[in-house]
Amino acid sequence: MAKTEFKDGMKGEIERLKTIEIDDNYREELFARFCSQLNENFQGAEINMQLRKAFDYAFNAHKDYRRKSGEPFIEHPVAVAVIVANEIGLGVQTVIAALLHDVVEDTEHTNDDIKNMFGQAVAETVEGVTKITEKYDAKANTQAETFKKMLLSISTPRVLFVKLADRLHNMRTMDGMPDGTRQIKSNENLYVYVKLAEDLGLYDVYQELQDTSFKFVQPNHYKSVSNIVESKLDERNKILADFKLVLMRILIRLEVTCKVDTIHKSLFQIWKHLNTGKMLEDYSPDAVRIVFEYPEDAPANWISRMHYDIYGEILSEYREREGSKRDYVHNPKPNGFSALVFQVNHKGYWFEVQIMSYDNEMVAHRGYSTLRPHREGLEALKLKLGEIDGSANAEELVARAMDNSQTQSIYIFTPKGDIKVLPIGATVLDFAYSLGPEYGNHCVGAYVNSRFAPLNYKLQSTDRVTVMTSPSARPQPSWLDFVKSYKAKEDINKYFKRDNTNGIGDIEVGRIMFTHLMHELHINGNVVLLTYLIKHYKVSGGDEFYKKLSTREISIEDLSSNAKRIYLVLKDARRDPGKASEDRHNAPIAGYRIDYKTPFFINRKIMCVYPACCQPICGDNAFAFLDDDNLLYVHRRECETAQQHVALHGKQTTRVDWGDDLEPMIAGIKVQGTDRQGLIRDLTILLDSWRINIKSLNISEYDHIFTGFVKFYVKNVTQLDKIMSQVAQISNVVNVSRINPNKVNELPTDV
């Protein structure tokens, strides 16, 4: 069924259920519908009896409840159970747990009741889901703590799968919810749940969560990408059908039994590509998947060779796109997925081709297959989370788990032939720390395949590494800039916490001492607090402050006392902004309050920070949130920092409404085209005609192609759009785009 048909059908069903009477007729109709939706693995009298018992229990527990959208609440656990069975592929016990997953949280029934009725395994799953979603102190970081509990539940993976199914159904019925709730849930998905689904190999769940979340987080971009894809759909489908016919002829020559399918990529993935300034024609929004069969007794090397036989035949007809090949046959994904992926051009369009065996097609959708029922993605996720400390800071723990660098791995051999699994991009130093801190802290390099390599040398899969150490070697702060694994980062940070007399510069030592002291005092040592401390100790700036701290001219005891006092005053000022005292140095601390249900209005009287990571301007689709010292931050909605903050602190975040009296703000654009004499002159004349101040201009040329980065002050988004439109009309200019959020730091250093 097409996505639009599914969505329209869902809306119609919700409208019908809003008025339905919750009686015995409805109970029987719902149970019959539930059973009819389950796959063939759930047939049989005994299974039917188990499901009926759980269904009736859930129905009676929820019969007096309706969802916020109006339909009977029991519809939700039934839908979650169907997702668990059909889309995730779990068994009867987990389906029963899914039917009951909201009973303890939302009704008077207890977990002991569940245990007595349905057994220990079901009760543990229900209890795990309940613990994840239970309410916390409003002052605590509810969402980060919730995610932490979910990650720590990995030892009982049914909990994680039920939670993913629960979230998927919530997103399918999210249209009727308030915008604030949709924003929070959608950003949670993009920051946490999407990545978990990807790690587990649940590609269908991953893709649907991406698109449903994208629709709410970036509604304008979602609509724009949908329109672009739709406008080119007919033309591309004709070319695609022709391409598949050619592939089928090639496969007939090989005498391979197989099928050729089309796999559509998510709109979110397409938008990420377009957001880099590239064209849709330069991307493969859909893939052609070749799925081949093989005899049950076929050896592994025969199956492996078949991938390359098909690949070779296709390249006899087409030229492969340079750099597009991804060989998951020799280097499977952590979830066990194995395939050969590459791109070729057919009649002017790039198409991705995926070659895989029929059992890997199932792995591609659900993370397991009938031939390989063991979920390798679950084991890989456990490995990634294996060293998690339950007492760790919730936000740091979630950031570690969601780190993309950990989702793809390389395999490195020790001299004895043991294997160490490291993230892609890992260095010699990462490998040393994987052996233990005694190796990492004293590492001076390594022999990689018999050749000496420095600490920052990036390793490749199957490298054999022998670590070299020296008793006099010590960790350096710069090591944190190139290590990739969390173990290495944690061990380096632990070293600096233990020993601050290791020969690094006084300023860096002081910075580390200050950071660790603030951590021990449970104080957010941000720029506001540091500014007050610099004033208190009458030093010229941060460098002098850190140096005096490292040389003990500022004692730890004195700093601890003053930091706590000033921090408490700042907190007091946040609670009572009308209160003034000498201790606060009469600093302007505004008493702002955030309500995620209500937009925050910003005009020239509002004191706020516009971070350099995304450079928001008046009129941007933006979020506002407060830090611990009541500083107000505004980020563009596309900004990764904003998305992370909404995911972890959603109820302390809200969207922005802009006033029309704000001062001009800095915006940046990227200009590309073919080089010619006088182009810079024409660009500066145009900008000057707008009477705006240019902050910086940087243009480089390579092979007669120029790329320019320009920053200037504009009143609002409307003015910026008009300027960009006029810049695009300059002769030889091919593309004009606004600098993307989180890309500002990648600009030339003089911009």
Side-chain angles (χ1 to χ4, degrees):
M1 181 183 292
K3 286 185 179 180
T4 53
E5 292 175 354
F6 175 83
K7 184 175 67 175
D8 293 340
M10 179 69 75
K11 286 182 179 179
E13 180 66 7
I14 289 174
E15 290 302 315
R16 183 184 74 83
L17 291 170
K18 285 180 180 179
T19 58
I20 200 166
E21 186 176 350
I22 305 176
D23 55 16
D24 288 342
N25 290 332
Y26 167 65
R27 178 205 298 258
E28 296 308 314
E29 180 267 327
L30 178 60
F31 183 70
R33 173 156 48 95
F34 168 57
C35 291
S36 69
Q37 291 175 320
L38 297 175
N39 62 58
E40 63 276 5
N41 295 324
F42 294 87
Q43 307 303 318
E46 184 180 346
I47 292 177
N48 186 277
M49 186 168 60
Q50 294 179 62
L51 294 177
R52 181 76 212 210
K53 180 182 176 182
F55 173 86
D56 286 343
Y57 193 94
F59 187 94
N60 292 330
H62 293 301
K63 65 182 179 181
D64 296 327
Y65 298 88
R66 286 183 180 267
R67 302 188 79 199
K68 290 182 180 179
S69 53
E71 75 269 28
F73 190 91
I74 186 62
E75 292 280 340
H76 171 64
V78 166
V80 172
V82 172
I83 292 171
V84 165
N86 294 351
E87 300 181 50
I88 298 179
L90 295 172
V92 175
Q93 294 298 303
T94 314
V95 171
I96 290 173
L99 284 169
L100 304 172
H101 79 274
D102 277 327
V103 167
V104 174
E105 180 186 359
D106 294 337
T107 74
E108 295 180 354
H109 295 263
T110 67
N111 206 63
D112 285 338
D113 296 334
I114 302 293
K115 182 179 178 180
N116 293 333
M117 287 287 290
F118 301 99
Q120 182 71 28
V122 171
E124 285 181 356
T125 305
V126 174
E127 182 182 26
V129 176
T130 304
K131 282 184 176 180
I132 286 173
T133 55
E134 66 187 3
K135 293 178 174 57
Y136 289 77
D137 184 340
K139 294 181 180 180
N141 183 354
T142 305
Q143 288 145 296
E145 292 292 342
T146 296
F147 295 142
K148 175 181 174 179
K149 283 204 165 191
M150 184 173 64
L151 295 172
L152 291 174
S153 74
I154 191 66
S155 58
T156 51
R158 288 175 177 173
V159 173
L160 187 57
F161 287 119
V162 172
K163 191 62 185 173
L164 279 168
D166 175 63
R167 179 51 61 102
L168 183 61
H169 182 252
N170 281 335
M171 293 309 297
R172 288 176 177 175
T173 56
M174 190 61 69
D175 283 286
M177 299 299 289
D179 182 65
T181 300
R182 294 188 304 198
Q183 291 297 325
I184 292 172
K185 299 299 183 186
S186 297
N187 277 281
E188 286 177 356
N189 291 340
L190 293 175
Y191 186 59
V192 176
Y193 290 103
V194 164
K195 292 184 176 68
L196 285 175
E198 182 182 22
D199 280 355
L200 293 169
L202 301 173
Y203 181 81
D204 295 340
V205 175
Y206 154 81
Q207 181 165 278
E208 186 175 343
L209 281 177
Q210 266 193 339
D211 271 355
T212 52
S213 303
F214 178 39
K215 179 177 67 174
F216 296 123
V217 171
Q218 296 288 345
N220 293 334
H221 290 306
Y222 178 87
K223 185 176 180 180
S224 174
V225 174
S226 298
N227 291 339
I228 291 172
V229 172
E230 191 71 28
S231 67
K232 298 180 180 295
L233 189 62
D234 290 342
E235 180 183 358
R236 186 173 176 86
N237 280 345
K238 290 177 183 177
I239 304 297
L240 177 60
D242 185 66
F243 179 51
K244 289 169 72 174
L245 283 174
V246 176
L247 291 178
M248 289 175 188
R249 293 191 191 102
I250 292 172
L251 294 168
I252 289 171
R253 291 204 305 260
L254 277 173
E255 298 181 352
V256 179
T257 302
C258 61
K259 64 177 180 177
V260 180
D261 283 341
T262 301
I263 305 297
H264 300 289
K265 297 181 182 178
S266 70
L267 293 176
F268 182 79
Q269 291 169 311
I270 297 171
W271 170 70
K272 287 184 72 174
H273 169 82
L274 297 176
N275 203 33
T276 63
K278 297 177 182 177
M279 305 296 290
L280 184 64
E281 288 76 12
D282 195 46
Y283 184 64
S284 182
D286 34 41
V288 178
R289 178 172 290 175
I290 299 172
V291 183
F292 65 86
E293 296 183 7
Y294 57 86
E296 290 186 8
D297 59 349
N301 63 341
W302 186 93
I303 299 171
S304 176
R305 190 175 68 248
M306 181 55 65
H307 290 84
Y308 298 100
D309 288 347
I310 297 173
Y311 170 70
E313 285 295 320
I314 293 173
L315 293 193
S316 69
E317 299 272 350
Y318 294 99
R319 184 176 179 181
E320 181 181 6
R321 187 175 196 173
E322 186 177 354
S324 68
K325 183 179 176 183
R326 286 166 285 164
D327 190 341
Y328 300 122
V329 178
H330 284 149
N331 297 295
K333 288 188 174 183
N335 61 34
F337 175 68
S338 176
L340 199 57
V341 182
F342 57 98
Q343 291 183 26
V344 296
N345 193 286
H346 180 75
K347 296 186 176 180
Y349 284 86
W350 289 108
F351 288 103
E352 180 175 287
V353 181
Q354 303 173 355
I355 304 171
M356 66 187 68
S357 61
Y358 69 88
D359 60 310
N360 266 295
E361 183 192 26
M362 190 171 178
V363 175
H365 288 290
R366 296 186 182 178
Y368 76 100
S369 74
T370 51
L371 295 178
R372 293 150 60 193
H374 185 67
R375 293 181 184 265
E376 294 180 44
L378 181 61
E379 295 306 312
L381 185 58
K382 285 181 179 179
L383 181 65
K384 186 168 78 169
L385 303 178
E387 298 171 2
I388 280 183
D389 179 1
S391 64
N393 175 275
E395 289 192 44
E396 292 177 1
L397 190 152
V398 174
R400 168 181 176 174
M402 297 305 109
D403 186 0
N404 282 329
S405 69
Q406 304 289 310
T407 60
Q408 292 183 301
S409 305
I410 56 175
Y411 303 90
I412 308 301
F413 290 92
T414 69
K416 294 182 179 180
D418 297 329
I419 296 176
K420 294 292 182 179
V421 182
L422 296 172
I424 285 179
T427 63
V428 162
L429 193 57
D430 286 294
F431 179 79
Y433 275 108
S434 75
L435 301 176
E438 65 276 15
Y439 290 93
N441 288 343
H442 302 291
C443 183
V444 292
Y447 281 96
V448 179
N449 304 325
S450 301
R451 297 184 64 180
F452 187 78
L455 297 176
N456 61 353
Y457 177 81
K458 290 185 179 181
L459 301 172
Q460 303 293 323
S461 254
T462 72
D463 279 344
R464 184 177 294 271
V465 181
T466 303
V467 171
M468 307 299 295
T469 61
S470 168
S472 61
R474 295 288 186 275
Q476 301 297 315
S478 60
W479 288 8
L480 292 168
D481 295 334
F482 58 80
V483 291
K484 291 291 183 182
S485 63
Y486 265 96
K487 186 176 190 317
K489 292 175 183 177
E490 287 173 348
D491 285 343
I492 294 169
N493 282 321
K494 284 179 183 177
Y495 174 83
F496 286 128
K497 184 175 183 179
R498 183 183 70 250
D499 183 2
N500 287 314
T501 59
N502 43 55
I504 60 178
D506 288 339
I507 293 174
E508 193 60 34
V509 169
R511 192 190 311 275
I512 294 167
M513 292 171 66
F514 178 73
T515 300
H516 290 314
L517 176 62
M518 295 302 101
H519 181 73
E520 289 172 3
L521 296 175
H522 303 289
I523 290 177
N524 179 16
N526 64 16
V527 66
V528 175
L529 177 60
L530 182 58
T531 299
Y532 277 74
L533 290 170
I534 288 171
K535 289 180 180 178
H536 175 81
Y537 287 106
K538 296 180 174 59
V539 292
S540 60
D543 285 354
E544 185 179 353
F545 171 79
Y546 292 135
K547 188 170 183 178
K548 285 182 177 291
L549 179 60
S550 69
T551 57
R552 305 302 193 270
E553 292 179 61
I554 297 174
S555 73
I556 290 291
E557 295 75 16
D558 186 63
L559 175 60
S560 176
S561 174
N562 283 304
K564 285 189 287 187
R565 178 180 60 81
I566 294 172
Y567 181 72
L568 289 174
V569 171
L570 289 169
K571 287 183 69 176
D572 180 59
R574 181 180 62 196
R575 288 191 295 267
D576 186 3
K579 200 174 179 182
S581 73
E582 288 301 316
D583 280 337
R584 281 192 276 136
H585 305 280
N586 296 315
I589 302 176
Y592 301 136
R593 295 292 182 267
I594 289 289
D595 179 359
Y596 75 99
K597 298 178 181 178
T598 307
F600 193 96
F601 184 76
I602 292 181
N603 56 26
R604 67 189 308 160
K605 295 181 180 179
I606 300 295
M607 296 176 59
C608 56
V609 177
Y610 302 107
C613 59
C614 58
Q615 291 183 329
I617 62 175
C618 179
D620 269 329
N621 194 344
F623 283 126
F625 54 82
L626 298 169
D627 72 357
D628 287 342
D629 289 313
N630 216 39
L631 271 182
L632 183 70
Y633 285 81
V634 179
H635 287 263
R636 287 162 63 183
R637 183 171 288 194
E638 306 100 308
C639 180
E640 292 172 6
T641 302
Q643 292 172 358
Q644 177 179 339
H645 195 91
V646 177
L648 298 178
H649 310 270
K651 293 190 177 181
Q652 288 81 48
T653 311
T654 190
R655 65 188 188 279
V656 167
D657 279 349
W658 299 92
D660 57 5
D661 61 345
L662 291 161
E663 295 294 327
M665 304 175 185
I666 295 176
I669 64 172
K670 181 180 179 180
V671 186
Q672 295 173 295
T674 55
D675 196 24
R676 67 169 173 84
Q677 188 174 1
L679 191 145
I680 297 178
R681 178 200 63 210
D682 292 348
L683 178 60
T684 53
I685 289 174
L686 188 153
L687 295 176
D688 185 62
S689 70
W690 279 90
R691 307 292 186 196
I692 59 176
N693 290 328
I694 300 176
K695 185 177 186 294
S696 60
L697 172 64
N698 182 289
I699 293 185
S700 59
E701 181 269 340
Y702 177 77
D703 197 20
H704 303 295
I705 303 297
F706 79 88
T707 301
F709 295 95
V710 192
K711 285 189 177 182
F712 47 83
Y713 290 86
V714 291
K715 185 72 176 173
N716 50 42
V717 169
T718 301
Q719 185 183 38
L720 176 62
D721 289 342
K722 290 178 180 178
I723 292 173
M724 290 173 61
S725 178
Q726 291 186 12
V727 171
Q729 301 304 314
I730 295 176
S731 175
N732 287 50
V733 170
V734 174
N735 185 56
V736 181
S737 58
R738 187 173 175 187
I739 297 173
N740 292 324
N742 309 107
K743 298 294 184 182
V744 175
N745 293 332
E746 297 177 15
L747 300 180
T749 55
D750 54 337
V751 172

